[in-house]
Amino acid sequence: MTGRTPAHFTADDYRARMERAVRAAGDAGLAGLLVAPGPDLVWLTGYAPPAATERLTLLLLTPDRDPVLVVPALEAPDAAAAAGAPALTLRDWTDGKDPYAATTALLDTGGRYGVSDNAWALHLLRLQKALPDSSYASLTEALPMLRAVKDAAELELMAAAGAAADATYEEIRKVPFAGRRESEVGADLAGLLRRFGHSQVDFTIVASGPNGANPHHEVGDRVIEHGDMIVLDFGGLKDGYGSDTSRTVHVGEPTDEERRVHDLVREAQEAGFRAVRPGVACQEVDRAARAVIADAGYGEYFIHRTGHGIGVTTHEPPYMIEGEEQPLVPGMCFSVEPGVYLPGRFGVRIEDIVTVTEDGGRRLNDTTRELVIVD
């Protein structure tokens, strides 16, 4: 285990988040926010409803009243037990009643609202029907940075998730690779993530030999062979916050070219990390890493963005990609993960989660970035 004690967020923490969200909505010209079950609702209230349901559950955040959570009556006890419940008003509804009438009565008939991306179309269409002059924008479009800047307690949880992923890598290096299927090693990775405290495993990429040239190969039935380069990319949620790390290992001694490409990606990853500092545009991290690979003649084989944000989900804004001019802010967390993918031959990716500090960046993954030889 990592030895860290998870932070426990209080009603005051959730109240502050909801107040911040209302201010951000106003700054974006929105009348308020409508937050459906999913990561935004968990982050704002600490409430994660039961499995997806057709019954309307919606958090209403507007500047003219305290937060209101519309919730089915049969789920109201669970909502009332959430850590953020003291910071909001619960308004429950029973089967056979119209939840949309109760909801729209709290909204501006001609308002423009931000809506969480995973809201059901069924619910949004019913709201639009009841309020034909209203309009809506996705939260990713309207408030992409809402969850991007983490506070001290969140950073502690991010660091603990990163440490758990590092512990997983240290252990997976010890297992046999040659003669086993990718899926078997992937199962080992998932088991180790859970052993080190993850409650949710989001992905376990084990891409051996030519499969390594596919960045999202995940796992398959291919039997790993001596001489294979293997991209390992794995992560999930620990205490509600994400991990995501990639390392590339080799079964037996690599060729000179394999070692050269790995060293190139390691140099590019270091360049991307060194570009991190407050005020720098996200795209500059991508440019720094990409320039190293392009200058070495492998630019056409770096086929994805350099990074993505991470927090209560493993992929979220901001994105380290050309054209993203959002400035880096202390507390942002994101991946730096350049790669080179040679079709039909092999691939290499090296990834750390990085957080922006007051004067630069700090890695949340600390395992070796050298090419590791496995059996």
Side-chain angles (χ1 to χ4, degrees):
M1 288 294 196
T2 64
R4 296 177 181 270
T5 301
H8 295 284
F9 300 115
T10 67
D12 286 341
D13 294 322
Y14 291 112
R15 181 179 290 107
R17 290 178 185 178
M18 287 188 278
E19 290 173 351
R20 185 171 118 198
V22 170
R23 291 194 299 271
D27 292 342
L30 299 172
L33 303 180
L34 310 181
V35 184
D40 293 315
L41 185 64
V42 172
W43 183 78
L44 287 163
T45 69
Y47 177 49
T53 173
E54 74 282 1
R55 293 182 174 93
L56 179 71
T57 297
L58 201 64
L59 174 68
L60 312 182
L61 297 177
T62 58
D64 56 343
R65 60 172 48 89
D66 291 337
V68 175
L69 180 61
V70 177
V71 62
L74 75 169
E75 294 168 9
D78 289 336
L88 51 80
T89 298
L90 287 179
R91 180 163 296 191
D92 63 10
W93 60 276
T94 57
D95 285 353
K97 303 294 184 180
D98 182 1
Y100 303 100
T103 302
T104 55
L106 302 174
L107 302 178
D108 180 351
T109 57
R112 180 170 177 77
Y113 292 92
V115 181
S116 49
D117 295 2
N118 52 335
W120 281 37
L122 167 69
H123 300 319
L124 185 57
L125 290 171
R126 290 289 298 271
L127 291 174
Q128 286 179 311
K129 182 178 181 180
L131 299 173
D133 294 328
S134 62
S135 59
Y136 305 89
S138 74
L139 284 191
T140 291
E141 174 186 293
L143 298 177
M145 296 297 111
L146 181 62
R147 304 193 316 256
V149 178
K150 277 65 176 177
D151 62 24
E154 290 181 292
L155 289 174
E156 179 72 9
L157 291 174
M158 291 293 302
D166 283 357
T168 295
Y169 178 63
E170 295 294 355
E171 290 299 312
I172 202 68
R173 291 170 51 179
K174 302 173 185 177
V175 309
F177 281 78
R180 301 177 69 210
R181 296 185 186 278
E182 293 173 342
S183 57
E184 295 177 283
V185 178
D188 289 343
L189 280 170
L192 287 166
L193 285 168
R194 292 190 177 95
R195 172 181 159 192
F196 291 114
H198 281 64
S199 60
Q200 177 176 314
V201 176
D202 286 347
F203 47 87
T204 55
I205 292 175
V206 181
S208 64
N211 288 340
N214 176 359
H216 282 171
H217 169 69
E218 295 198 3
V219 297
D221 291 331
R222 184 180 184 275
V223 175
I224 299 169
E225 301 174 356
H226 188 85
D228 278 348
M229 191 83 93
I230 307 170
V231 177
L232 303 173
D233 185 346
F234 48 93
L237 298 183
K238 180 182 184 297
D239 296 319
Y241 281 77
S243 69
D244 186 2
T245 188
S246 301
R247 295 292 186 264
T248 302
V249 301
H250 197 277
V251 184
E253 287 298 319
T255 65
D256 289 345
E257 182 189 21
E258 287 171 331
R259 191 174 291 279
R260 183 171 64 252
V261 171
H262 188 278
D263 287 346
L264 174 65
V265 174
R266 181 164 54 86
E267 180 183 348
Q269 206 267 350
E270 177 68 18
F273 169 69
R274 291 191 177 279
V276 175
R277 60 184 182 278
V280 167
C282 291
Q283 67 181 1
E284 295 301 329
V285 178
D286 182 85
R287 288 175 176 177
R290 198 169 300 277
V292 173
I293 292 173
D295 288 349
Y298 287 87
E300 66 182 294
Y301 304 113
F302 180 10
I303 55 177
H304 56 72
R305 64 196 177 204
T306 292
H308 58 83
I310 185 170
V312 294
T313 61
T314 49
H315 287 76
E316 61 187 44
Y319 298 102
M320 307 301 114
I321 190 171
E322 181 66 30
E324 179 52 81
E325 297 180 350
Q326 167 67 42
L328 299 181
V329 177
M332 282 183 175
C333 297
F334 50 85
S335 65
V336 178
E337 51 176 308
V340 168
Y341 308 92
L342 302 179
R345 302 180 62 203
F346 65 89
V348 176
R349 181 164 64 256
I350 300 173
E351 173 186 15
D352 294 323
I353 299 303
V354 173
T355 184
V356 184
T357 65
E358 294 297 331
D359 57 2
R362 175 169 68 97
R363 299 181 194 266
L364 300 184
N365 296 106
D366 294 320
T367 55
T368 181
R369 294 163 202 92
E370 301 289 339
L371 182 57
V372 168
I373 308 302
V374 296
D375 294 329

